């Protein structure tokens, strides 16, 4: 029973808590006038979060900083003028799939997705560059300080004016070795946090080159209280590399969006020792294991646990012993695990099987050819399990990934095994219809793992994969096999994995994916904000759409602007010769053709969509424009009408 506080709330505590939730990176500590350490809000960081320019500040405080950190905050918050263009030819089951494969710089794509997928992602897994000193740094984050200025200021030319290191590789000779990596990661994680649901969790693979720095920036972005662990993972069975230790493990940094709302991780049931079978009884479709009803280790004198059991051939069997019902058992007599009452109440879980031999006896005292088992359902074991997953992961080594890729004939180095992603989805309780995001998707392991999980339990989990179309090395096997960039590898891996899973399981799941490519806005170089346009402006606007953009391009930008999920169903129909898109079963209807007549407008209005969108220059004549509002007021007054 809760006690009444009998006093007003401490608003300072409430305000501090609200600021902590909104801006965890602004939480710090300082020394008060009495010399005591107290909580504080870094006003410079807070000002930077609400400013559209870099804020100067030099007050001493506890903080983790690096060059251009404030610019990272600025860039993460800044708007961009980008869109996602659909590519049907490279997609599978484009019109009906719930999965997305997006090509482009992941910072730009995350920003484009932010409003539509705000708070909708259950799990994020990323395997970013480890910053080993050998990484090619391909993310072109445009900070204002020119490289030539930096080089000149830091003496990075030799006496003859030659550059002393290759900046394109983020190697240790680069004076901004950690800085560039931190800026790259900070911005992307800051935007990604907004996409996580309140129960969401993010797993980040990293090695010891940047694990300390990564944890510090994650503490700022997600909040220290949302750090839930750092698991170690064996990466290979043996390794003789390294100057001192032979490195054979990496880490999984793990944060929740909101620790108080996130579900505790669930340990995996140990099913490796059992031959799981599909049930054909009342719980058809569930997995179970058979466990003997008699175990020799059970010995007591409870008469309720020593009774005859009928066999299919009419004989009876009982555990070994010297007494038989109704006599009371003596010490040494075998008993069943269950009493007669429990046995009768759970008869649907009993399996009596003929075996070559057992230690049970029949009515004549001879060894029985039958044994008795109980069904232990996997779902029941999982529900009752309170075990937490071990923070040292041994069974998902990288060699498994190599075998997977070889089986699919996909040339790719340094992938993670799909079993690792399935394991993370399992412990994080990623359920059917949840969305998993991977914005350093590489060879598309996450998509493979998710399809496997769906095939196993009939789920409908969805993936969003983001990958920069980084060119493949001409010396590598991938390039020689015809893959010109990493995205081509990832898409082909999904296609081949889908075919393999379908062939092996015959599962009726979503094997498709929509390919979208990040590009400049569909609008010409004028400020574009659809929410500010009204139908009354139809006659005042000129056509502001780029000539090379298709109706499908416009549709996806409209979906982004209106917050409609990009995996929503899309039905393409024709009304009076005009192409009309019906999205999410009538939630959005759009028509971008020219010369739209009253017939088309009336037909659409009668369908009563929540949104209707068209081009501002699409009206067939002045009469259509004049009657447009009246048509919707007559048939669908609640429809929100917008124009491009």
């Amino acid at each position: 029973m809760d006690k009444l506080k009998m006093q007003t709330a401490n608003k300072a505590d409430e305000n501090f808590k609200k600021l902590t939730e909104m801006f965890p990176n602004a939480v710090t500590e300082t020394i008060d006038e009495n010399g005591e350490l107290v909580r504080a809000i870094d006003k410079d960081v807070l000002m930077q979060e609400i400013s559209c320019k870099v804020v100067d500040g030099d007050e001493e405080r506890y903080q983790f900083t690096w060059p251009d950190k404030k610019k990272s905050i600025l860039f993460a918050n800044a708007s961009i003028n980008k869109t996602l263009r659909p590519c049907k030819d490279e997609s599978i089951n484009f019109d009906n799939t719930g999965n997305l494969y997006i090509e482009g710089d992941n910072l730009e794509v995350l920003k484009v997705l932010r409003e539509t997928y705000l708070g909708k992602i259950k799990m994020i897994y990323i395997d970013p560059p480890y910053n080993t000193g050998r990484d090619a740094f391909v993310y072109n984050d445009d900070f204002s300080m020119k490289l030539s200025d930096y080089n000149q200021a830091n003496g990075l030319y030799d006496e003859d004016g030659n550059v002393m290191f290759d900046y394109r590789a983020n190697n240790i000779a680069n004076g901004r070795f950690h800085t560039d990596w931190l800026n790259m990661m900070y911005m992307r994680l800051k935007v990604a946090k907004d996409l996580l649901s309140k129960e969401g969790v993010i797993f980040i693979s990293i090695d010891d080159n940047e694990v300390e720095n990564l944890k510090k920036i994650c503490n700022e972005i997600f909040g220290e209280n949302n750090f839930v662990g750092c698991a170690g993972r064996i990466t290979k069975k043996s390794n003789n590399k390294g100057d001192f230790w032979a490195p054979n493990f990496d880490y999984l940094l793990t944060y929740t969006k909101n620790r108080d709302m996130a579900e505790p991780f669930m340990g995996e049931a140990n099913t490796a020792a059992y031959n799981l079978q599909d049930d054909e009884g009342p719980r058809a479709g569930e997995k179970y294991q058979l466990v003997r009803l008699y175990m020799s280790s059970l010995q007591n004198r409870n008469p309720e646990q020593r009774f005859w059991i009928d066999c299919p051939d009419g004989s009876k069997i009982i555990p070994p012993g010297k007494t038989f019902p109704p006599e009371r058992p003596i010490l040494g007599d075998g008993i069943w695990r269950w009493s007669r009452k429990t046995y009768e109440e759970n008869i649907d879980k009993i399996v009596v099987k003929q075996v070559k031999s057992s230690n049970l006896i029949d009515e004549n005292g001879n060894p029985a050819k039958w044994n008795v088992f109980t069904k232990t359902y996997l779902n029941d074991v999982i529900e009752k399990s309170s075990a937490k997953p071990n923070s040292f992961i041994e069974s998902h080594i990288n060699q498994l990934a190599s075998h997977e890729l070889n089986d699919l004939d996909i040339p790719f180095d340094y992938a993670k095994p799909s079993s690792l992603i399935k394991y993370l989805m399992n412990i994080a309780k990623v359920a059917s219809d949840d969305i998993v995001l991977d914005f350093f998707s590489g060879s598309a392991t996450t998509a493979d793992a998710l399809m496997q999980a769906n095939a196993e339990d009939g789920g409908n989990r969805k993936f969003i994969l983001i990958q920069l179309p980084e060119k493949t090395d001409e010396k590598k096997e991938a390039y020689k096999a015809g893959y010109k960039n990493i995205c081509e590898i990832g898409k082909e891996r999904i296609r081949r994995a889908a075919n393999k899973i379908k062939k092996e399981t015959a599962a009726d799941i979503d094997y498709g994916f929509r390919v979208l490519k990040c590009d400049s806005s569909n609008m010409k170089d004028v400020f574009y904000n659809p929410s500010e346009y009204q139908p009354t402006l139809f006659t005042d606007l000129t056509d502001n759409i780029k000539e090379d953009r298709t109706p499908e391009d416009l549709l996806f930008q409209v979906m982004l602007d209106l917050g409609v999920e990009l995996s929503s169903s899309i039905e393409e129909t024709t009304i009076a010769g005009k192409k009309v898109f019906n999205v999410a079963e009538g939630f959005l209807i759009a028509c971008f053709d020219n010369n739209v007549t009253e017939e088309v407008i009336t037909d659409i209005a009668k369908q009563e969509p929540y949104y209707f969108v068209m081009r501002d220059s699409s009206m067939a004549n002045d009469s259509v424009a004049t009657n447009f509002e009246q048509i919707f007021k007559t048939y669908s007054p609640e429809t929100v009408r917008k124009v491009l």
Side-chain angles (χ1 to χ4, degrees):
M1 183 179 295
D2 295 332
K3 292 184 178 180
L4 292 172
K5 295 181 179 179
M6 304 298 289
Q7 64 183 32
T8 60
N10 185 324
K11 295 300 293 183
D13 286 341
E14 290 185 4
N15 292 336
F16 184 82
K17 183 178 180 181
K18 290 176 182 177
L19 285 171
T20 299
E21 291 175 352
M22 293 179 66
F23 307 109
N25 56 325
V27 177
T28 186
E29 298 168 347
T30 190
I31 303 294
D32 66 9
E33 63 273 10
N34 298 318
E36 296 181 357
L37 192 66
V38 295
R39 71 190 186 191
I41 293 291
D42 188 326
K43 64 178 184 298
D44 290 337
V45 173
L46 189 59
M47 286 298 296
Q48 185 62 73
E49 286 286 3
I50 61 175
S51 176
C52 295
K53 62 182 181 179
V54 174
V55 175
D56 294 327
D58 55 3
E59 181 181 335
E60 288 187 358
R61 65 187 67 83
Y62 173 76
Q63 61 181 328
F64 175 52
T65 190
W66 60 89
D68 290 329
K69 180 179 180 180
K70 289 183 178 179
K71 291 179 183 175
S72 292
I73 298 173
L74 184 67
F75 279 27
N77 292 334
S79 62
I80 60 170
N81 196 22
K82 295 281 187 176
T83 190
L84 299 177
R85 302 178 66 183
C87 185
K88 277 192 173 184
D89 292 343
E90 299 177 23
S91 305
I92 300 294
N93 193 21
F94 182 92
D95 290 335
N96 299 305
T97 183
N99 302 314
L100 303 176
Y101 187 95
I102 307 176
E103 298 185 24
D105 184 297
N106 49 17
L107 177 61
E108 295 179 344
V109 175
L110 288 169
K111 285 188 174 188
V112 170
L113 295 178
R114 179 153 48 185
E115 293 303 318
T116 301
Y117 288 90
L118 188 69
K120 293 183 179 179
I121 305 298
K122 177 61 180 288
M123 172 180 143
I124 297 175
Y125 171 77
I126 56 171
D127 184 17
Y130 281 7
N131 208 24
T132 60
R134 300 182 299 275
D135 301 322
F137 222 71
V138 295
Y139 292 92
N140 184 27
D141 298 327
D142 183 22
F143 293 97
S144 60
M145 185 177 186
K146 294 181 180 178
L147 177 58
S148 58
D149 296 338
Y150 180 84
N151 290 342
Q152 186 174 7
N154 290 276
L156 300 176
Y157 291 104
D158 63 20
E159 58 186 10
D160 296 321
N162 298 314
V163 178
M164 296 171 62
F165 66 91
D166 182 3
Y167 185 75
R168 291 170 299 174
N170 196 43
N171 52 47
I172 297 174
N174 176 2
R176 295 169 58 93
F177 177 66
H178 292 290
T179 293
D180 288 343
W181 189 88
L182 286 168
N183 284 321
M184 184 271 294
M185 290 298 297
Y186 194 91
M187 290 184 289
R188 288 158 176 82
L189 290 172
K190 198 170 188 313
V191 180
K193 177 194 173 186
D194 293 339
L195 276 61
L196 276 178
S197 66
K198 292 180 180 179
E199 307 83 15
V201 59
I202 181 170
F203 299 96
I204 309 174
S205 285
I206 198 68
D207 73 357
D208 52 7
N209 285 284
E210 291 288 2
V211 65
E212 295 94 346
N213 288 334
L214 180 60
K215 185 177 180 184
K216 289 176 182 176
I217 63 174
C218 284
N219 282 344
E220 286 192 16
I221 294 168
F222 297 98
E224 284 189 68
N225 59 314
N226 289 317
F227 170 68
V228 294
C230 180
R233 181 187 70 99
I234 295 291
T235 58
K236 57 191 71 177
K237 292 181 179 179
S238 62
N239 181 19
N240 198 34
K241 297 180 180 179
D243 296 327
F244 295 92
W245 294 103
N248 67 342
F249 68 93
D250 59 14
Y251 304 93
L252 272 166
L253 272 180
T254 310
Y255 286 79
T256 59
K257 176 70 171 288
N258 186 326
R259 189 188 186 106
D260 294 335
M261 301 190 71
E263 294 184 88
F265 288 168
M266 176 179 66
E268 288 190 310
N270 182 15
T271 62
Y274 302 101
N275 181 24
L276 296 178
Q277 307 170 49
D278 286 307
D279 195 1
E280 298 178 354
R283 297 177 66 171
E286 292 191 51
K287 301 287 187 178
Y288 68 87
Q289 61 184 348
L290 294 178
V291 181
R292 288 180 298 168
L293 187 60
Y294 165 68
M295 293 184 178
S296 59
S297 59
L298 296 175
Q299 292 185 352
N300 64 33
R301 286 179 283 181
N302 184 355
E304 292 299 316
Q305 290 180 250
R306 184 167 173 79
F307 53 90
W308 293 101
I309 289 180
D310 295 328
C311 299
D313 65 353
S315 63
K316 298 178 181 292
I317 54 177
I318 198 170
K322 296 181 179 180
T323 66
F324 301 93
E327 296 179 68
R328 186 177 182 84
I330 62 174
L331 187 64
D333 285 343
I335 60 170
W336 304 112
R337 286 188 290 111
W338 289 355
S339 67
R340 180 186 292 276
K341 181 181 178 182
T342 302
Y343 176 86
E344 292 174 349
E345 289 176 346
N346 293 275
I347 195 68
D348 58 314
K349 293 182 179 179
I350 297 297
V351 176
V352 181
K353 291 179 63 175
Q354 195 162 19
V355 294
K356 291 183 179 179
S357 63
S358 76
N359 47 9
L360 304 178
I361 57 176
D362 60 21
E363 294 169 291
N364 299 317
N366 298 319
K369 298 296 184 182
W370 298 89
N371 209 334
V372 185
F373 302 86
T374 62
K375 297 177 182 178
T376 299
Y377 288 92
L378 181 58
N379 289 340
D380 294 344
V381 172
I382 292 174
E383 288 177 4
K384 294 177 182 178
S385 175
S386 60
K388 298 295 184 289
N390 197 312
S391 62
F392 190 68
I393 303 171
E394 300 182 75
S395 55
H396 304 288
I397 61 175
N398 289 345
Q399 187 177 5
L400 298 175
S402 299
H403 292 325
E404 285 180 325
L405 293 170
N406 287 337
D407 288 344
L408 296 171
D409 195 22
I410 294 292
F412 194 84
D413 299 327
Y414 309 118
K416 296 294 186 292
S418 61
S419 63
L420 173 65
I421 315 301
K422 284 172 60 182
Y423 170 73
L424 297 178
M425 287 194 294
N426 184 58
I427 66 173
K429 302 179 183 177
V430 177
S432 184
D433 294 322
D434 283 340
I435 303 174
V436 177
L437 168 66
D438 182 347
F439 55 90
F440 287 95
S441 64
S443 66
T445 300
T446 298
D448 192 343
L450 186 140
M451 289 189 294
Q452 291 179 42
N454 284 344
E456 290 172 6
D457 63 12
N460 189 34
R461 304 169 187 85
K462 305 177 184 69
F463 64 76
I464 299 177
L465 268 53
I466 305 172
Q467 177 58 46
L468 185 75
E470 178 187 349
K471 293 182 179 180
T472 51
D473 189 335
E474 295 184 10
K475 299 177 182 178
K476 297 285 188 177
E477 290 302 314
Y479 184 87
K480 296 175 183 177
Y483 299 103
K484 298 301 184 288
N485 62 61
I486 292 179
C487 291
E488 293 181 2
I489 298 174
K491 288 177 288 189
E492 185 61 24
R493 196 261 180 86
I494 300 174
R495 297 184 190 104
R496 296 186 184 186
N499 290 334
K500 183 174 185 290
I501 295 167
K502 190 186 302 183
K503 182 179 180 180
E504 292 177 351
T505 68
D508 184 17
I509 63 169
D510 184 359
Y511 295 103
F513 59 97
R514 285 179 179 170
V515 175
L516 307 173
K517 299 187 179 184
C518 190
D519 204 340
S520 61
S521 171
N522 294 314
M523 317 311 290
K524 293 178 181 177
D525 294 330
V526 294
F527 182 76
Y528 166 59
N529 188 346
S531 63
E532 296 181 359
Y533 291 137
Q534 300 297 327
T536 55
L537 299 177
F538 279 5
T539 58
D540 300 327
L541 296 173
T542 58
D543 191 3
N544 55 354
I545 297 170
K546 293 177 180 176
E547 289 76 8
D548 65 335
R549 301 305 164 98
T550 67
E552 287 78 10
D553 292 336
L554 300 179
L555 177 65
F556 273 82
Q557 183 155 9
V558 166
M559 291 169 69
L560 286 168
D561 287 341
L562 299 179
V564 181
E565 290 190 12
L566 302 181
S567 58
S568 299
S569 62
I570 300 174
E571 182 183 1
E572 191 176 309
T573 60
T574 301
I575 301 176
K578 304 302 179 185
K579 181 188 292 187
V580 176
F581 298 100
N582 185 322
V583 181
E585 299 179 347
F587 182 75
L588 163 66
I589 294 182
C591 178
F592 305 112
D593 285 0
N594 292 317
N595 299 316
V596 175
T597 64
E598 285 189 22
E599 180 184 356
V600 177
I601 300 297
T602 302
D603 193 304
I604 291 172
K606 287 181 178 180
Q607 297 181 50
E608 300 183 23
Y610 186 87
Y611 284 111
F612 171 62
V613 182
M614 65 185 299
R615 296 174 65 161
D616 67 309
S617 58
S618 293
M619 300 295 185
N621 51 53
D622 292 342
S623 175
V624 177
T626 302
N627 295 329
F628 178 87
E629 286 297 323
Q630 187 58 47
I631 292 172
F632 270 95
K633 285 180 180 179
T634 301
Y635 296 105
S636 186
E638 301 300 320
T639 294
V640 179
R641 286 91 74 185
K642 291 185 176 290
V643 296
L644 298 180

